[in-house]
Amino acid sequence: MTSPSILFVCLGNICRSPLADGALRHRVRQLGLGWTVDSAGTGGWHAGEPPDRRAMAIAKAHGVDIAGLRARQVQRADFERFDLILAMDHDNLDGLKAIAPPDARAELCLALDLVAGREGEAVADPYYGDADGFGVTWADAQAIAEGVLRRFGRG
Ligand code: 4NP
């Protein structure tokens, strides 16, 4: 198989999916893998913006720099560009199903479906909470990154 391509999708693409993106990119780089990792939002309100400063801070505290990421809205073309599209919650999953072309190449599921014992769960949205919530999101992002590595035989 050629190098897998993975897209994480949340609502705004400034909190949850950039953290999952950053956590997986970090591991992919550590392992010397040439995988494609990206993130997007079902909504476009934050397009062009860097991640939420609380997301950048929690990633940086764990040695991962996500400041270079810029939010973008997911497109139908992403279903042809990526092998695996991972929705951070059920609303995002429904939104993605609504725009998915019938012959989509990408496999689509919840991100936590790849984490043993967390199948069917949503990554909680930390946007309206305090900094502690971002610690929970980072832990989920790391577990998801390991789940993706396992899914493609590198865990
Ligand atoms: P995210 O969090 O989907 O994890 O990026 C949110 C970011 C922004 C908003 C909601 C959730 N918002 O309503 O602007």
Side-chain angles (χ1 to χ4, degrees):
M1 175 185 192
T2 56
S3 288
S5 51
I6 301 106
L7 178 69
F8 295 103
V9 178
C10 62
L11 178 59
N13 191 208
I14 57 169
C15 299
R16 292 166 291 176
S17 61
L19 286 174
D21 181 340
L24 181 59
R25 274 188 209 220
H26 182 67
R27 294 289 286 128
V28 159
R29 201 165 38 237
Q30 273 182 338
L31 295 168
L33 304 171
W35 297 6
T36 299
V37 182
D38 197 10
S39 59
T42 51
W45 316 284
H46 296 281
E49 294 178 16
D52 185 288
R53 63 188 157 68
R54 297 164 295 176
M56 291 194 281
I58 193 74
K60 195 172 177 189
H62 292 87
V64 178
D65 184 1
I66 61 167
L69 298 180
R70 292 294 177 268
R72 70 173 182 87
Q73 190 168 20
V74 72
Q75 306 171 340
R76 276 171 68 91
D78 287 318
F79 287 88
E80 303 312 319
R81 291 180 49 216
F82 291 90
D83 296 311
L84 181 61
I85 300 182
L86 294 170
M88 306 309 279
D89 70 24
H90 302 84
D91 285 345
N92 303 144
L93 184 62
D94 289 346
L96 287 163
K97 282 180 181 165
I99 64 162
D103 55 350
R105 172 164 83 96
E107 180 188 341
L108 173 63
C109 65
L110 286 169
L112 282 170
D113 283 347
L114 299 189
V115 179
R118 305 284 306 274
E119 298 89 346
E121 285 186 35
V123 175
D125 186 352
Y127 184 67
Y128 295 105
D130 57 21
D132 289 353
F134 282 81
V136 174
T137 311
W138 175 253
D140 283 352
Q142 281 192 302
I144 289 163
E146 295 309 318
V148 174
L149 289 171
R150 250 192 318 277
R151 165 74 166 67
F152 291 104
R154 300 305 298 241

